[in-house]
Amino acid sequence: MTPYAAHLRTLLRRYDAALAATDFDAVVIGAGMPAGIFGDDQEHPYRAEPRFVQWAPLLAHPGSLLAYRPGRKPVLCVHLPDDYWHQAAPVPEGEWLQLLDVHLVSERRLAVKAALALTGLRHTAVLGDPAQWAGLDLPGVVNPVPLVTRLDYDRAIKTPWEVDNIRRANVLGIVAHEAVAEGFAQGLSEFELGLLFLAACGQTDAELPYPAIIAANENGATLHYQHRRRERLTGSRRRSLLVDAGCSFAGYASDITRTHAARPGEFSTMIEDLERAQQRLCRRIAPGVPFAGLQLAAHHEVAGLLARWGLVRMAPGEMVDACVTDHFLPHGLGHLLGLQVHDVGGGLAGPGGGELPRPDRFPRLRLTRTLEPGQVVTVEPGIYFIDSLLARLRSGPHRRAVDWPRIEALRGYGGIRIEDDVLVTDDGCDNLTRGAAQVA
Ligand code: GLY
Ligand code: MN
Ligand code: MN
């Protein structure tokens, strides 16, 4: 059995159970349509809907759909519009298509007709952005929450085919990160480094799983920095680079962060220290571990470093208890990764729904589930010098414990984040990003 065939078998089993549990007897899943730009005749870049891509790794066929009725072969309608303004993506090829009943349709109403021939007038769930069904007269319940919740819960556990796609997305990502590291050493601008990343992985900006963060110096203190400065920084003005960028493979994401120093010295040592702490945290990924506990462990690692570097003169445990570390690490340690960079279902209590409580201390933590084999999570601790958070620390009760002149000097470096993608295995973990570095 091919990896895709085994994946499909799991998907069929999951959908059969989820449809039965929620009293639906068929499902139609849309690939989505590009959204129009207000007041214009252009469209925003198209992104295939993840629930569709999980069945059919078609990333450039908007208007397609997948219809499934338990016990029948799934129907895949590939939309190939007859349009001389735009070119349809190539007709898909591959062994995986043999497992589906494939229809090539030039008009979306023909896709709906083929779906209805399978699902009939049964109780059908219709999944995807509701806007894509406008004017198509497709009967069914749109995005029923009980069904969507079950599917989201199950999606946290990746099939071997999905893990392989994430692994390949990591290989592409590592190759592109290495190109950027070389470009940074040559003094290229954020803008040029962004182009290098794309050229090295062979993807367009719109094909990446999320907008690449390419942040020089203090820009690294903005967690999702989104600009690309055109200026090349020279001499002592070129200090650091934080790159948080991933690639896509068959619709699955990698999410990788590396931080570079322009020269050996205090900041490069800090990067090495944080990387060692990050690797210790990665090694703690294992079945049965509540991810929220690792979040606290990350704060203890950060506290240990702040004490060791002499930036905060407090015992590490006391620093964590007093929330001093929150001023340097204001985000979650990680999240589920898969068809979306922040994959769904990280806070679900069970297949029937309910949100796991987020720890009061960490209200932004996206992953509160206990780890299980097959989950892929990111591990991405950071230490940043963020003006607004430092101002709060400076006006708080622990201000005297902080070495402000050194913090002031480090503000120009922005921050450090190191991020890997880690698979939970039956007895521990497999770091997909470090593994990719071995083969890239
Ligand atoms: N690249 C976004 C994140 O790391 O969560
Ligand atoms: Mn991430
Ligand atoms: Mn990231």
PDB file of all heavy atoms in Angstrom, residues 266 270 309-313 328 385 390 393-394 399-413:
ATOM      1  N   GLU A 266      29.346  38.728  22.407  1.00  0.00           N
ATOM      2  CA  GLU A 266      28.333  38.451  23.424  1.00  0.00           C
ATOM      3  C   GLU A 266      27.038  37.907  22.812  1.00  0.00           C
ATOM      4  O   GLU A 266      26.491  36.907  23.286  1.00  0.00           O
ATOM      5  CB  GLU A 266      28.035  39.761  24.183  1.00  0.00           C
ATOM      6  CG  GLU A 266      27.009  39.586  25.280  1.00  0.00           C
ATOM      7  CD  GLU A 266      26.608  40.913  25.940  1.00  0.00           C
ATOM      8  OE1 GLU A 266      26.620  41.956  25.253  1.00  0.00           O
ATOM      9  OE2 GLU A 266      26.277  40.888  27.133  1.00  0.00           O
ATOM     10  N   MET A 270      25.098  34.303  23.249  1.00  0.00           N
ATOM     11  CA  MET A 270      23.711  34.210  23.733  1.00  0.00           C
ATOM     12  C   MET A 270      22.881  33.317  22.806  1.00  0.00           C
ATOM     13  O   MET A 270      22.046  32.520  23.263  1.00  0.00           O
ATOM     14  CB  MET A 270      23.099  35.619  23.826  1.00  0.00           C
ATOM     15  CG  MET A 270      23.693  36.452  24.953  1.00  0.00           C
ATOM     16  SD  MET A 270      23.238  38.208  24.853  1.00  0.00           S
ATOM     17  CE  MET A 270      21.498  38.130  25.131  1.00  0.00           C
ATOM     18  N   TRP A 309      23.676  35.305  32.227  1.00  0.00           N
ATOM     19  CA  TRP A 309      24.237  36.427  31.466  1.00  0.00           C
ATOM     20  C   TRP A 309      24.365  37.688  32.321  1.00  0.00           C
ATOM     21  O   TRP A 309      24.889  38.705  31.855  1.00  0.00           O
ATOM     22  CB  TRP A 309      23.341  36.750  30.254  1.00  0.00           C
ATOM     23  CG  TRP A 309      23.223  35.640  29.254  1.00  0.00           C
ATOM     24  CD1 TRP A 309      24.108  34.625  29.039  1.00  0.00           C
ATOM     25  CD2 TRP A 309      22.135  35.423  28.331  1.00  0.00           C
ATOM     26  NE1 TRP A 309      23.648  33.787  28.048  1.00  0.00           N
ATOM     27  CE2 TRP A 309      22.445  34.256  27.587  1.00  0.00           C
ATOM     28  CE3 TRP A 309      20.943  36.084  28.055  1.00  0.00           C
ATOM     29  CZ2 TRP A 309      21.610  33.740  26.599  1.00  0.00           C
ATOM     30  CZ3 TRP A 309      20.104  35.584  27.074  1.00  0.00           C
ATOM     31  CH2 TRP A 309      20.431  34.429  26.359  1.00  0.00           C
ATOM     32  N   GLY A 310      23.802  37.636  33.538  1.00  0.00           N
ATOM     33  CA  GLY A 310      23.888  38.792  34.433  1.00  0.00           C
ATOM     34  C   GLY A 310      22.942  39.923  34.050  1.00  0.00           C
ATOM     35  O   GLY A 310      23.107  41.055  34.514  1.00  0.00           O
ATOM     36  N   LEU A 311      21.930  39.610  33.248  1.00  0.00           N
ATOM     37  CA  LEU A 311      20.986  40.671  32.856  1.00  0.00           C
ATOM     38  C   LEU A 311      19.947  40.920  33.945  1.00  0.00           C
ATOM     39  O   LEU A 311      19.428  42.030  34.073  1.00  0.00           O
ATOM     40  CB  LEU A 311      20.293  40.300  31.536  1.00  0.00           C
ATOM     41  CG  LEU A 311      21.216  40.202  30.321  1.00  0.00           C
ATOM     42  CD1 LEU A 311      20.419  39.808  29.078  1.00  0.00           C
ATOM     43  CD2 LEU A 311      21.945  41.519  30.080  1.00  0.00           C
ATOM     44  N   VAL A 312      19.625  39.858  34.683  1.00  0.00           N
ATOM     45  CA  VAL A 312      18.679  40.014  35.802  1.00  0.00           C
ATOM     46  C   VAL A 312      19.303  39.337  37.017  1.00  0.00           C
ATOM     47  O   VAL A 312      19.648  38.152  36.958  1.00  0.00           O
ATOM     48  CB  VAL A 312      17.311  39.361  35.471  1.00  0.00           C
ATOM     49  CG1 VAL A 312      16.345  39.559  36.646  1.00  0.00           C
ATOM     50  CG2 VAL A 312      16.711  39.949  34.200  1.00  0.00           C
ATOM     51  N   ARG A 313      19.449  40.098  38.095  1.00  0.00           N
ATOM     52  CA  ARG A 313      20.081  39.546  39.299  1.00  0.00           C
ATOM     53  C   ARG A 313      19.008  39.031  40.256  1.00  0.00           C
ATOM     54  O   ARG A 313      18.630  39.681  41.226  1.00  0.00           O
ATOM     55  CB  ARG A 313      20.939  40.632  39.972  1.00  0.00           C
ATOM     56  CG  ARG A 313      22.186  41.019  39.149  1.00  0.00           C
ATOM     57  CD  ARG A 313      22.923  42.167  39.780  1.00  0.00           C
ATOM     58  NE  ARG A 313      22.113  43.378  39.791  1.00  0.00           N
ATOM     59  CZ  ARG A 313      22.167  44.334  38.856  1.00  0.00           C
ATOM     60  NH1 ARG A 313      23.010  44.256  37.842  1.00  0.00           N
ATOM     61  NH2 ARG A 313      21.378  45.391  38.951  1.00  0.00           N
ATOM     62  N   PHE A 328      10.486  38.998  28.696  1.00  0.00           N
ATOM     63  CA  PHE A 328      11.486  38.631  27.676  1.00  0.00           C
ATOM     64  C   PHE A 328      10.968  37.552  26.728  1.00  0.00           C
ATOM     65  O   PHE A 328      11.464  37.427  25.609  1.00  0.00           O
ATOM     66  CB  PHE A 328      12.770  38.133  28.369  1.00  0.00           C
ATOM     67  CG  PHE A 328      13.450  39.195  29.190  1.00  0.00           C
ATOM     68  CD1 PHE A 328      13.168  39.353  30.542  1.00  0.00           C
ATOM     69  CD2 PHE A 328      14.358  40.071  28.595  1.00  0.00           C
ATOM     70  CE1 PHE A 328      13.781  40.347  31.291  1.00  0.00           C
ATOM     71  CE2 PHE A 328      14.975  41.074  29.346  1.00  0.00           C
ATOM     72  CZ  PHE A 328      14.686  41.211  30.696  1.00  0.00           C
ATOM     73  N   PHE A 385      14.190  41.846  23.298  1.00  0.00           N
ATOM     74  CA  PHE A 385      14.343  43.138  23.972  1.00  0.00           C
ATOM     75  C   PHE A 385      13.307  44.075  23.338  1.00  0.00           C
ATOM     76  O   PHE A 385      13.589  44.759  22.350  1.00  0.00           O
ATOM     77  CB  PHE A 385      15.782  43.631  23.827  1.00  0.00           C
ATOM     78  CG  PHE A 385      16.755  42.601  24.348  1.00  0.00           C
ATOM     79  CD1 PHE A 385      17.444  41.756  23.481  1.00  0.00           C
ATOM     80  CD2 PHE A 385      16.915  42.425  25.714  1.00  0.00           C
ATOM     81  CE1 PHE A 385      18.287  40.769  23.960  1.00  0.00           C
ATOM     82  CE2 PHE A 385      17.770  41.435  26.209  1.00  0.00           C
ATOM     83  CZ  PHE A 385      18.458  40.603  25.331  1.00  0.00           C
ATOM     84  N   LEU A 390       9.879  46.127  28.165  1.00  0.00           N
ATOM     85  CA  LEU A 390      10.961  46.588  29.049  1.00  0.00           C
ATOM     86  C   LEU A 390      10.504  47.804  29.861  1.00  0.00           C
ATOM     87  O   LEU A 390      10.864  47.953  31.036  1.00  0.00           O
ATOM     88  CB  LEU A 390      12.209  46.925  28.224  1.00  0.00           C
ATOM     89  CG  LEU A 390      12.876  45.714  27.547  1.00  0.00           C
ATOM     90  CD1 LEU A 390      14.007  46.171  26.621  1.00  0.00           C
ATOM     91  CD2 LEU A 390      13.401  44.717  28.585  1.00  0.00           C
ATOM     92  N   LEU A 393       8.644  46.519  32.763  1.00  0.00           N
ATOM     93  CA  LEU A 393       9.560  45.944  33.755  1.00  0.00           C
ATOM     94  C   LEU A 393      10.248  47.060  34.545  1.00  0.00           C
ATOM     95  O   LEU A 393      10.446  46.966  35.754  1.00  0.00           O
ATOM     96  CB  LEU A 393      10.593  45.074  33.020  1.00  0.00           C
ATOM     97  CG  LEU A 393      11.583  44.285  33.858  1.00  0.00           C
ATOM     98  CD1 LEU A 393      10.869  43.308  34.799  1.00  0.00           C
ATOM     99  CD2 LEU A 393      12.536  43.489  32.940  1.00  0.00           C
ATOM    100  N   ARG A 394      10.550  48.121  33.823  1.00  0.00           N
ATOM    101  CA  ARG A 394      11.287  49.231  34.431  1.00  0.00           C
ATOM    102  C   ARG A 394      10.433  50.015  35.424  1.00  0.00           C
ATOM    103  O   ARG A 394      10.948  50.692  36.308  1.00  0.00           O
ATOM    104  CB  ARG A 394      11.767  50.163  33.309  1.00  0.00           C
ATOM    105  CG  ARG A 394      12.909  51.023  33.732  1.00  0.00           C
ATOM    106  CD  ARG A 394      13.642  51.615  32.555  1.00  0.00           C
ATOM    107  NE  ARG A 394      14.935  52.083  33.018  1.00  0.00           N
ATOM    108  CZ  ARG A 394      15.972  52.278  32.272  1.00  0.00           C
ATOM    109  NH1 ARG A 394      15.912  52.040  30.977  1.00  0.00           N
ATOM    110  NH2 ARG A 394      17.097  52.712  32.782  1.00  0.00           N
ATOM    111  N   ARG A 399      12.572  46.294  39.094  1.00  0.00           N
ATOM    112  CA  ARG A 399      13.422  47.094  38.200  1.00  0.00           C
ATOM    113  C   ARG A 399      14.874  47.132  38.660  1.00  0.00           C
ATOM    114  O   ARG A 399      15.784  47.161  37.847  1.00  0.00           O
ATOM    115  CB  ARG A 399      12.858  48.513  38.054  1.00  0.00           C
ATOM    116  CG  ARG A 399      12.771  49.283  39.340  1.00  0.00           C
ATOM    117  CD  ARG A 399      12.105  50.636  39.121  1.00  0.00           C
ATOM    118  NE  ARG A 399      11.879  51.323  40.373  1.00  0.00           N
ATOM    119  CZ  ARG A 399      10.858  51.075  41.184  1.00  0.00           C
ATOM    120  NH1 ARG A 399       9.966  50.156  40.872  1.00  0.00           N
ATOM    121  NH2 ARG A 399      10.726  51.741  42.306  1.00  0.00           N
ATOM    122  N   ARG A 400      15.090  47.053  39.974  1.00  0.00           N
ATOM    123  CA  ARG A 400      16.476  47.193  40.476  1.00  0.00           C
ATOM    124  C   ARG A 400      17.287  45.921  40.222  1.00  0.00           C
ATOM    125  O   ARG A 400      18.505  45.941  40.334  1.00  0.00           O
ATOM    126  CB  ARG A 400      16.473  47.537  41.964  1.00  0.00           C
ATOM    127  CG  ARG A 400      16.017  48.950  42.215  1.00  0.00           C
ATOM    128  CD  ARG A 400      16.432  49.544  43.534  1.00  0.00           C
ATOM    129  NE  ARG A 400      15.880  50.891  43.618  1.00  0.00           N
ATOM    130  CZ  ARG A 400      14.616  51.160  43.926  1.00  0.00           C
ATOM    131  NH1 ARG A 400      13.780  50.183  44.213  1.00  0.00           N
ATOM    132  NH2 ARG A 400      14.171  52.410  43.947  1.00  0.00           N
ATOM    133  N   ALA A 401      16.617  44.838  39.911  1.00  0.00           N
ATOM    134  CA  ALA A 401      17.342  43.584  39.660  1.00  0.00           C
ATOM    135  C   ALA A 401      17.908  43.536  38.235  1.00  0.00           C
ATOM    136  O   ALA A 401      18.660  42.633  37.890  1.00  0.00           O
ATOM    137  CB  ALA A 401      16.412  42.403  39.880  1.00  0.00           C
ATOM    138  N   VAL A 402      17.551  44.502  37.422  1.00  0.00           N
ATOM    139  CA  VAL A 402      17.892  44.438  35.992  1.00  0.00           C
ATOM    140  C   VAL A 402      19.114  45.311  35.684  1.00  0.00           C
ATOM    141  O   VAL A 402      19.227  46.429  36.192  1.00  0.00           O
ATOM    142  CB  VAL A 402      16.683  44.902  35.143  1.00  0.00           C
ATOM    143  CG1 VAL A 402      17.014  44.884  33.655  1.00  0.00           C
ATOM    144  CG2 VAL A 402      15.465  44.030  35.439  1.00  0.00           C
ATOM    145  N   ASP A 403      20.008  44.775  34.866  1.00  0.00           N
ATOM    146  CA  ASP A 403      21.193  45.545  34.443  1.00  0.00           C
ATOM    147  C   ASP A 403      20.792  46.389  33.219  1.00  0.00           C
ATOM    148  O   ASP A 403      20.944  45.965  32.064  1.00  0.00           O
ATOM    149  CB  ASP A 403      22.330  44.570  34.096  1.00  0.00           C
ATOM    150  CG  ASP A 403      23.628  45.303  33.764  1.00  0.00           C
ATOM    151  OD1 ASP A 403      23.562  46.488  33.369  1.00  0.00           O
ATOM    152  OD2 ASP A 403      24.701  44.681  33.899  1.00  0.00           O
ATOM    153  N   TRP A 404      20.267  47.561  33.460  1.00  0.00           N
ATOM    154  CA  TRP A 404      19.688  48.368  32.379  1.00  0.00           C
ATOM    155  C   TRP A 404      20.695  48.824  31.333  1.00  0.00           C
ATOM    156  O   TRP A 404      20.371  48.822  30.129  1.00  0.00           O
ATOM    157  CB  TRP A 404      18.895  49.549  32.951  1.00  0.00           C
ATOM    158  CG  TRP A 404      17.639  49.067  33.626  1.00  0.00           C
ATOM    159  CD1 TRP A 404      17.383  49.033  34.963  1.00  0.00           C
ATOM    160  CD2 TRP A 404      16.501  48.473  32.988  1.00  0.00           C
ATOM    161  NE1 TRP A 404      16.157  48.460  35.213  1.00  0.00           N
ATOM    162  CE2 TRP A 404      15.586  48.111  34.019  1.00  0.00           C
ATOM    163  CE3 TRP A 404      16.159  48.198  31.670  1.00  0.00           C
ATOM    164  CZ2 TRP A 404      14.362  47.508  33.757  1.00  0.00           C
ATOM    165  CZ3 TRP A 404      14.936  47.600  31.409  1.00  0.00           C
ATOM    166  CH2 TRP A 404      14.056  47.255  32.431  1.00  0.00           C
ATOM    167  N   PRO A 405      21.929  49.196  31.716  1.00  0.00           N
ATOM    168  CA  PRO A 405      22.870  49.592  30.646  1.00  0.00           C
ATOM    169  C   PRO A 405      23.123  48.460  29.639  1.00  0.00           C
ATOM    170  O   PRO A 405      23.189  48.695  28.434  1.00  0.00           O
ATOM    171  CB  PRO A 405      24.143  49.961  31.418  1.00  0.00           C
ATOM    172  CG  PRO A 405      23.655  50.343  32.789  1.00  0.00           C
ATOM    173  CD  PRO A 405      22.473  49.460  33.058  1.00  0.00           C
ATOM    174  N   ARG A 406      23.210  47.213  30.149  1.00  0.00           N
ATOM    175  CA  ARG A 406      23.450  46.105  29.199  1.00  0.00           C
ATOM    176  C   ARG A 406      22.203  45.805  28.372  1.00  0.00           C
ATOM    177  O   ARG A 406      22.294  45.499  27.177  1.00  0.00           O
ATOM    178  CB  ARG A 406      23.929  44.866  29.958  1.00  0.00           C
ATOM    179  CG  ARG A 406      25.375  45.097  30.400  1.00  0.00           C
ATOM    180  CD  ARG A 406      26.044  43.878  30.936  1.00  0.00           C
ATOM    181  NE  ARG A 406      25.960  42.741  30.055  1.00  0.00           N
ATOM    182  CZ  ARG A 406      25.761  41.497  30.487  1.00  0.00           C
ATOM    183  NH1 ARG A 406      25.593  41.262  31.772  1.00  0.00           N
ATOM    184  NH2 ARG A 406      25.726  40.503  29.633  1.00  0.00           N
ATOM    185  N   ILE A 407      21.064  45.914  29.005  1.00  0.00           N
ATOM    186  CA  ILE A 407      19.812  45.721  28.250  1.00  0.00           C
ATOM    187  C   ILE A 407      19.726  46.781  27.141  1.00  0.00           C
ATOM    188  O   ILE A 407      19.359  46.481  25.995  1.00  0.00           O
ATOM    189  CB  ILE A 407      18.588  45.840  29.190  1.00  0.00           C
ATOM    190  CG1 ILE A 407      18.585  44.705  30.206  1.00  0.00           C
ATOM    191  CG2 ILE A 407      17.288  45.914  28.389  1.00  0.00           C
ATOM    192  CD1 ILE A 407      17.962  43.414  29.747  1.00  0.00           C
ATOM    193  N   GLU A 408      20.100  47.986  27.491  1.00  0.00           N
ATOM    194  CA  GLU A 408      20.056  49.083  26.514  1.00  0.00           C
ATOM    195  C   GLU A 408      20.953  48.748  25.312  1.00  0.00           C
ATOM    196  O   GLU A 408      20.566  48.938  24.149  1.00  0.00           O
ATOM    197  CB  GLU A 408      20.508  50.388  27.204  1.00  0.00           C
ATOM    198  CG  GLU A 408      20.489  51.627  26.341  1.00  0.00           C
ATOM    199  CD  GLU A 408      19.123  51.912  25.741  1.00  0.00           C
ATOM    200  OE1 GLU A 408      18.104  51.560  26.365  1.00  0.00           O
ATOM    201  OE2 GLU A 408      19.089  52.467  24.616  1.00  0.00           O
ATOM    202  N   ALA A 409      22.116  48.189  25.595  1.00  0.00           N
ATOM    203  CA  ALA A 409      23.038  47.842  24.502  1.00  0.00           C
ATOM    204  C   ALA A 409      22.476  46.704  23.650  1.00  0.00           C
ATOM    205  O   ALA A 409      22.710  46.654  22.433  1.00  0.00           O
ATOM    206  CB  ALA A 409      24.402  47.454  25.089  1.00  0.00           C
ATOM    207  N   LEU A 410      21.718  45.809  24.281  1.00  0.00           N
ATOM    208  CA  LEU A 410      21.198  44.649  23.545  1.00  0.00           C
ATOM    209  C   LEU A 410      19.932  44.978  22.744  1.00  0.00           C
ATOM    210  O   LEU A 410      19.557  44.210  21.859  1.00  0.00           O
ATOM    211  CB  LEU A 410      20.913  43.495  24.531  1.00  0.00           C
ATOM    212  CG  LEU A 410      22.179  42.793  25.040  1.00  0.00           C
ATOM    213  CD1 LEU A 410      21.883  41.965  26.285  1.00  0.00           C
ATOM    214  CD2 LEU A 410      22.767  41.892  23.937  1.00  0.00           C
ATOM    215  N   ARG A 411      19.295  46.091  23.055  1.00  0.00           N
ATOM    216  CA  ARG A 411      18.082  46.460  22.311  1.00  0.00           C
ATOM    217  C   ARG A 411      18.336  46.503  20.807  1.00  0.00           C
ATOM    218  O   ARG A 411      17.466  46.165  19.991  1.00  0.00           O
ATOM    219  CB  ARG A 411      17.558  47.828  22.769  1.00  0.00           C
ATOM    220  CG  ARG A 411      16.694  47.754  24.002  1.00  0.00           C
ATOM    221  CD  ARG A 411      16.210  49.131  24.412  1.00  0.00           C
ATOM    222  NE  ARG A 411      15.492  49.789  23.354  1.00  0.00           N
ATOM    223  CZ  ARG A 411      15.797  50.995  22.836  1.00  0.00           C
ATOM    224  NH1 ARG A 411      16.830  51.680  23.297  1.00  0.00           N
ATOM    225  NH2 ARG A 411      15.081  51.512  21.872  1.00  0.00           N
ATOM    226  N   GLY A 412      19.520  46.889  20.426  1.00  0.00           N
ATOM    227  CA  GLY A 412      19.860  47.000  19.006  1.00  0.00           C
ATOM    228  C   GLY A 412      19.979  45.653  18.294  1.00  0.00           C
ATOM    229  O   GLY A 412      20.168  45.610  17.071  1.00  0.00           O
ATOM    230  N   TYR A 413      19.886  44.566  19.054  1.00  0.00           N
ATOM    231  CA  TYR A 413      19.961  43.221  18.458  1.00  0.00           C
ATOM    232  C   TYR A 413      18.574  42.578  18.320  1.00  0.00           C
ATOM    233  O   TYR A 413      18.463  41.492  17.764  1.00  0.00           O
ATOM    234  CB  TYR A 413      20.850  42.306  19.315  1.00  0.00           C
ATOM    235  CG  TYR A 413      22.312  42.694  19.289  1.00  0.00           C
ATOM    236  CD1 TYR A 413      22.802  43.719  20.089  1.00  0.00           C
ATOM    237  CD2 TYR A 413      23.212  42.040  18.448  1.00  0.00           C
ATOM    238  CE1 TYR A 413      24.136  44.088  20.066  1.00  0.00           C
ATOM    239  CE2 TYR A 413      24.554  42.384  18.419  1.00  0.00           C
ATOM    240  CZ  TYR A 413      25.011  43.414  19.228  1.00  0.00           C
ATOM    241  OH  TYR A 413      26.335  43.767  19.196  1.00  0.00           O
TER     242      TYR A 413
END
